[in-house]
Amino acid sequence: DGTILKVGGKTGTSSGEIKGAPKGQNLGRNAGFTFTYGNRFSGAVLVHMPSQYAMNENFTSGIAVKISNILAEDIAPVLN
């Protein structure tokens, strides 16, 4: 019907560092993205990488945004 769907979101990351622990010791890395589609749908995508993998990887909240974009394709029929 030509109605414009307003979409909004906010990203964030956390390194999971333990205060006072030796450098490099952490609980893992976290990335998050909260979003709204119009005034009917909202949600959050959270990504956690455990410490044994996080020490060798570097990712940002962009990974959560990418996942939400993939999910948006699946829920598009409901939005229309």
Side-chain angles (χ1 to χ4, degrees):
D1 68 357
T3 303
I4 296 174
L5 179 65
K6 293 182 181 180
V7 177
K10 176 67 178 130
T11 62
T13 57
S14 169
S15 64
E17 294 177 358
I18 303 169
K19 291 184 180 182
K23 185 165 177 64
Q25 183 178 357
N26 65 41
L27 300 173
R29 287 188 52 81
N30 303 295
F33 179 59
T34 59
F35 59 88
T36 61
Y37 295 121
N39 60 5
R40 292 181 43 210
F41 297 95
S42 63
V45 175
L46 303 173
V47 178
H48 172 75
M49 183 176 286
S51 61
Q52 67 266 30
Y53 304 108
M55 293 187 308
N56 299 322
E57 299 292 334
N58 185 19
F59 68 89
T60 68
S61 55
I63 191 170
V65 174
K66 179 67 175 172
I67 292 169
S68 70
N69 286 338
I70 293 167
L71 294 173
E73 294 172 11
D74 290 334
I75 64 171
V78 178
L79 297 173
N80 294 326

